[in-house]
């Protein structure tokens, strides 16, 4: 493996670094974006129990804020439960924007890696072909072994760039889809809360 990396030349260094960063981002986001961590089912049940029994207090709201992404959104609505509907919605939407920003963290970087990796591979292809033509100009075409280094560099970096880019792109699309699903679930719970407040169920 080391010989292959060595044959790929200097461009292999950023490609390998990109692969490490992409893997780290994917694993970290995979852990962070678990449904039970972002939209815990027991939290929803607990909040509606408080609502039904009119037990909402500042202590409950503070606990919600520290619980999860959904908890932050519900806490924003409950903290403004005595105010106008427009203000409640604005508070929920503002909290939602912050939550979505947190959920999206690093995912754009993963998309950038997916876009840049093939270009790094292409750069390696160009440098490899330049090396090949330099060899041709100095040693001629009589020695195939002299040309092999440049050709190997071109092929290895192209393959390495695509090997990083394809999984990174798939991971990017998967994480984007997961964030969208979680946001939809949180929106549904937030709408339920607004309706409950309008109905006078939350005091």
């Amino acid at each position: 493996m080391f010989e292959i990396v060595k044959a790929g030349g200097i461009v292999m260094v950023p490609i390998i670094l990109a692969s490490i960063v992409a893997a780290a981002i994917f694993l970290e986001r995979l852990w962070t974006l678990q449904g039970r961590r972002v939209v815990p089912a027991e939290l929803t049940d607990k909040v509606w129990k408080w609502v039904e029994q009119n037990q909402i207090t500042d202590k409950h709201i503070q606990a919600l804020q520290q619980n999860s992404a959904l908890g932050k959104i519900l806490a924003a609505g409950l903290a403004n439960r005595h105010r106008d509907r427009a203000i409640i919605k604005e508070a929920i939407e503002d909290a939602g924007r912050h939550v979505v920003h947190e959920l999206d963290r690093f995912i754009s970087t993963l998309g950038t890696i997916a876009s840049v990796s093939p270009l790094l591979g292409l750069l390696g292809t160009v440098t490899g072909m330049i090396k090949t033509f330099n060899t041709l100009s100095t040693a001629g075409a009589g020695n195939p072994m002299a040309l092999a280094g440049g050709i190997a560099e071109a092929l290895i970096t192209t393959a390495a760039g695509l090997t990083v880019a394809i999984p990174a792109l798939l991971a990017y699309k998967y994480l984007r889809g997961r964030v969208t699903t979680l946001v939809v679930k949180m929106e549904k719970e937030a709408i339920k809360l607004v309706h409950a407040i309008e109905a006078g169920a939350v005091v």
Side-chain angles (χ1 to χ4, degrees):
M1 179 63 73
F2 177 75
E3 291 300 323
I4 294 175
V5 172
K6 186 178 178 181
I10 191 66
V11 179
M12 287 296 290
V13 174
I15 291 176
I16 292 172
L17 290 176
S19 69
I20 294 171
V21 172
I25 290 173
F26 180 66
L27 292 175
E28 189 275 336
R29 288 291 91 186
L30 204 61
W31 170 258
T32 302
L33 297 177
Q34 293 180 75
R36 61 183 178 82
R37 294 173 61 87
V38 180
V39 190
E42 70 277 4
L43 177 66
T44 303
D45 294 339
K46 186 185 296 183
V47 170
W48 294 122
K49 185 177 179 181
W50 293 342
V51 169
E52 290 171 358
Q53 298 176 359
N54 293 328
Q55 294 179 339
I56 303 298
T57 64
D58 291 340
K59 184 178 179 181
H60 288 139
I61 293 172
Q62 188 175 9
L64 276 176
Q65 289 175 335
Q66 299 172 356
N67 181 279
S68 62
L70 175 60
K72 291 178 181 178
I73 294 174
L74 296 180
L78 292 173
N80 293 276
R81 62 192 182 279
H82 300 304
R83 307 180 77 176
D84 293 338
R85 182 178 188 271
I87 295 177
I88 295 171
K89 286 188 66 177
E90 185 179 344
I92 289 174
E93 288 171 359
D94 184 59
R97 282 191 292 269
H98 284 86
V99 165
V100 171
H101 178 73
E102 286 295 315
L103 296 181
D104 272 337
R105 192 169 57 168
F106 305 132
I107 294 180
S108 295
T109 304
L110 193 59
T112 301
I113 290 172
S115 300
V116 170
S117 295
L119 297 179
L120 290 173
L122 181 61
L123 177 62
T125 301
V126 173
T127 57
M129 295 310 295
I130 289 172
K131 186 182 291 185
T132 300
F133 284 118
N134 284 338
T135 303
L136 279 172
S137 65
T138 55
N143 185 3
M145 292 300 294
L147 305 176
I151 295 173
E153 180 177 327
L155 295 176
I156 289 170
T157 52
T158 301
L162 292 174
T163 300
V164 174
I166 293 171
L169 180 61
L170 293 174
Y172 171 78
K173 294 290 186 181
Y174 173 76
L175 292 175
R176 278 288 183 204
R178 175 167 283 199
V179 168
T180 300
T181 300
L182 292 171
V183 168
V184 169
K185 288 181 179 179
M186 289 189 290
E187 285 177 350
K188 288 180 179 178
E189 297 303 325
I191 290 170
K192 286 181 185 177
L193 179 63
V194 172
H195 289 164
I197 293 173
E198 285 184 325
V202 181
V203 296

